């Protein structure tokens, strides 16, 4: 049987706008969908991180999509994408490899899987507790215009959209437009100025999108956008010497507002080679206990001065 004629197996639901289980995030976007056809877990339709990129992705784009999807999945963040060839496929695969949840929004109906070679991937998404979703009826054959339409759903369900590679013009670039229209954050992995696949991505950075230049900047954005992240991936236990350096760091932050980079530097000067994930968890705990506060410019400082 041809892949295009195979049907995904798993729980099936149709949610209508106004239903109690309808994702709230999609109720508040421009042109909310009237219904969603879902194969898989309805609970998977929670806000996460959208990762999208070029279909004709370069090795650089595939590597970045895999890397950042893995880092987010390891911290309990669902990965949302469109199941297309290239960066989308690598994002879904990375989430599954980490045992994370991922959601695929299709341009056609869920019984007209496209691209057909990704059928097995989509089945693994469903089997792994994720979902394959469309606003089109089960047997609707995808059309060129429906892919642009579904981009607003990818961006709308996500708290932030990470653009890995995008040409000009491109469907990926349009997803960034949809994210901005839905008042969502847009993050961008910069690329070579000579790469056609990165022309759109670099233009978005020029227009004010947040550049993701390394793991630390990515962790910083995840912490800012999603708040306290999954903690069981990070060992924050400290020996007595490290506890002393963290006490020194706390005293420093309570006396002067600091950026994340400045805090990393202060901790290292005190003998603690603290990582960004460890710092984020420490900041969450200190903020929760009222010891420090985050300011509007992203820095942390004395709670009484906030």
């Amino acid at each position: 049987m041809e892949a295009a004629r195979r049907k995904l197996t798993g729980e099936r639901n149709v949610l209508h706008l106004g239903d109690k289980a309808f994702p709230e995030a999609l109720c508040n976007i421009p042109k909310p969908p009237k219904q969603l056809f879902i194969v898989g877990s309805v609970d998977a339709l929670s806000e996460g991180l959208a990762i999208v990129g070029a279909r004709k992705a370069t090795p650089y784009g595939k590597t970045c999509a895999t890397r950042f999807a893995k880092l987010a999945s390891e911290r309990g963040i669902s990965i949302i994408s469109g199941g297309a060839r290239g960066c989308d496929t690598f994002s879904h695969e990375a989430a599954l490899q980490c045992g994370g949840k991922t959601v695929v929004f299709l341009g056609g109906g869920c019984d007209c899987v496209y691209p057909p070679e990704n059928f097995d991937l989509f089945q693994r998404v469903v089997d792994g507790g994720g979902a394959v979703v469309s606003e089109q009826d089960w047997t609707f054959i995808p059309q060129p215009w429906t892919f642009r339409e579904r981009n607003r759903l990818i961006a709308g369900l996500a708290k932030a959209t990470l653009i890995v590679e995008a040409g000009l013009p491109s469907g990926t670039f349009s997803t960034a437009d949809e994210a901005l229209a839905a008042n969502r954050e847009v993050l961008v992995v910069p690329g070579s100025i000579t790469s056609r696949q990165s022309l759109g991505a670099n233009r978005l950075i020029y227009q004010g999108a947040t550049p993701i230049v390394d793991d630390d900047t990515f962790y910083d954005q995840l912490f800012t956008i999603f708040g306290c992240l999954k903690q069981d991936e990070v060992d924050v236990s400290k020996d007595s010497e490290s506890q002393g350096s963290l006490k020194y760091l706390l005293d420093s932050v309570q006396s002067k507002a600091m950026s994340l980079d400045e805090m990393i530097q202060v901790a290292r000067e005190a003998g603690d080679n603290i990582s960004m994930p460890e710092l984020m968890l420490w900041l969450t705990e200190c903020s929760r206990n009222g010891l420090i506060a985050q300011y509007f410019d992203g820095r942390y400082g004395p709670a009484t001065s906030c």
Side-chain angles (χ1 to χ4, degrees):
M1 183 180 294
E2 294 180 6
R5 296 181 181 276
R6 296 161 64 190
K7 291 186 178 181
L8 297 169
T9 60
E11 180 183 353
R12 290 187 170 225
N13 288 282
V14 180
L15 296 181
H16 296 89
L17 185 63
D19 288 349
K20 184 177 180 180
F22 198 91
E24 183 178 354
L26 293 179
C27 295
N28 303 316
I29 64 172
K31 194 181 174 183
K34 295 180 180 179
Q35 67 278 312
L36 294 173
F37 297 83
I38 305 160
V39 183
S41 172
V42 171
D43 292 338
L45 300 183
S46 59
E47 289 182 300
L49 175 71
I51 301 182
V52 294
R55 287 174 172 80
K56 296 181 179 179
T58 66
Y60 170 74
K62 295 174 182 177
T63 298
C64 289
T66 299
R67 182 183 192 87
F68 293 120
K70 179 177 181 291
L71 293 178
S73 293
E74 288 176 341
R75 279 145 189 87
I77 298 172
S78 174
I79 301 301
I80 303 162
S81 197
R85 301 179 180 98
C87 292
D88 291 17
T89 293
F90 279 80
S91 299
H92 293 304
E93 286 280 10
L96 291 174
Q97 289 170 12
C98 294
K101 298 292 191 300
T102 184
V103 176
V104 181
F105 278 102
L106 297 178
C110 293
D111 289 339
C112 293
V113 167
Y114 185 88
E117 65 266 26
N118 275 356
F119 180 92
D120 290 338
L121 168 62
F122 298 159
Q123 186 61 64
R124 285 188 286 119
V125 167
V126 174
D127 295 342
V132 175
V133 190
S134 177
E135 66 177 321
Q136 310 298 339
D137 194 80
W138 301 110
T139 58
F140 183 89
I141 298 174
Q143 305 294 321
W145 60 270
T146 60
F147 290 99
R148 172 64 187 260
E149 287 289 295
R150 70 88 192 267
N151 288 345
R152 79 189 196 285
L153 306 182
I154 295 172
L157 188 63
K159 282 190 175 183
T161 294
L162 175 66
I163 306 296
V164 178
E165 284 187 318
L168 278 175
S170 69
T172 302
F173 196 82
S174 77
T175 306
D177 288 339
E178 297 292 351
L180 293 172
N183 197 31
R184 307 292 197 265
E185 296 290 335
V186 176
L187 316 175
V188 181
V189 177
S192 169
I193 62 173
T194 61
S195 171
R196 294 180 60 86
Q197 283 88 343
S198 290
L199 290 178
N202 291 338
R203 178 59 60 89
L204 286 169
I205 293 174
Y206 173 74
Q207 293 174 346
T210 301
I212 300 299
V213 298
D214 54 23
D215 291 358
D216 284 351
T217 56
F218 185 60
Y219 286 135
D220 185 7
Q221 290 302 311
L222 292 185
F223 180 73
T224 300
I225 296 166
F226 292 92
C228 184
L229 303 178
K230 183 178 178 182
Q231 299 188 22
D232 57 4
E233 299 292 339
V234 181
D235 181 9
V236 293
S237 62
K238 297 289 180 180
D239 55 26
S240 57
E241 182 179 349
S242 295
Q243 288 288 358
S245 64
L246 288 178
K247 177 63 169 62
Y248 176 76
L249 177 59
L250 178 59
D251 291 341
S252 299
V253 176
Q254 287 179 327
S255 64
K256 174 187 175 182
M258 294 184 179
S259 67
L260 294 175
D261 288 340
E262 288 173 328
M263 284 184 272
I264 288 283
Q265 184 61 35
V266 167
R268 288 175 178 172
E269 289 174 355
D272 184 6
N273 192 27
I274 190 171
S275 68
M276 186 62 72
E278 290 172 330
L279 176 63
M280 290 176 176
L281 295 176
W282 180 80
L283 287 170
T284 298
E285 190 65 28
C286 289
S287 298
R288 183 185 297 120
N289 293 332
L291 300 176
I292 58 176
Q294 185 177 22
Y295 298 172
F296 290 114
D297 60 2
R299 296 182 300 162
Y300 287 83
T304 55
S305 300
C306 185

